[in-house]
Amino acid sequence: MKKLKLLSIIAIVTFIFSSCDPEYCSDYSIYNNTQNDIELFFYGEENSNKLIEKGEQFMQSSFCGMGKSYLEYYLVDSVQIKRDGVLRKTYYPSDEGKSIYKTQDRNFWKLVQANGNYSKFVFEINEEDLQ
């Protein structure tokens, strides 16, 4: 009887742990596919900026946790892109079309790598975006 109870407990614990979502990690990078260096300015609760050299990318965010995760710009009111000190583009949460805010739209945040429980997404900034 004791062995049956022990086996039942082991089976229940095994079922509980196997039914949990495994840890899922994702990286979100912004790639500068222009002919010049660009500078991104993130305005919101905390302002920040980042210089991205031409042909380079920087990791905007990285998440690991249970279940699927995604990048949200909930603390950012707008994202501006400057080139040579001149404002070229401003993204707002309500923008139509290509927008850095549409992190779930795979036309804009492209899935470039997927291995099991890891995904990498890239938002590419092109010359056309800065016209």
Side-chain angles (χ1 to χ4, degrees):
M1 186 69 168
K2 288 182 181 182
K3 285 184 179 182
L4 183 59
K5 284 183 182 179
L6 182 61
L7 287 175
S8 295
I9 291 171
I10 291 172
I12 291 170
V13 169
T14 302
F15 175 75
I16 289 170
F17 282 114
S18 67
S19 65
C20 292
D21 286 337
E23 186 172 82
Y24 183 85
C25 297
S26 55
D27 293 331
Y28 293 83
S29 296
I30 298 175
Y31 177 68
N32 178 5
N33 191 28
T34 69
Q35 298 300 313
N36 301 88
D37 299 346
I38 59 174
E39 193 167 8
L40 275 75
F41 293 86
F42 299 89
Y43 295 102
E45 287 188 21
E46 293 184 20
N47 298 335
S48 64
N49 64 317
K50 178 66 180 173
L51 177 71
I52 309 174
E53 296 177 358
K54 67 179 180 177
E56 298 294 324
Q57 64 182 338
F58 92 99
M59 176 105 44
Q60 173 60 32
S61 195
S62 183
F63 294 103
C64 277
M66 299 301 275
K68 298 241 177 190
S69 59
Y70 54 92
L71 173 64
E72 287 188 67
Y73 282 108
Y74 60 90
L75 296 177
V76 180
D77 298 328
S78 65
V79 178
Q80 291 184 341
I81 302 174
K82 291 184 180 181
R83 181 171 58 194
D84 300 323
V86 176
L87 177 63
R88 300 293 180 156
K89 177 74 176 175
T90 302
Y91 290 107
Y92 296 102
S94 60
D95 284 347
E96 296 295 320
K98 182 178 180 179
S99 177
I100 202 167
Y101 282 91
K102 296 180 181 179
T103 59
Q104 294 296 295
D105 190 326
R106 294 301 156 243
N107 292 319
F108 308 129
W109 282 90
K110 295 184 175 26
L111 176 64
V112 296
Q113 186 177 354
N115 299 344
N117 292 334
Y118 170 78
S119 297
K120 180 177 181 180
F121 301 96
V122 174
F123 184 84
E124 190 173 291
I125 298 172
N126 299 306
E127 290 291 340
E128 305 85 59
D129 300 325
L130 304 182
Q131 302 300 323

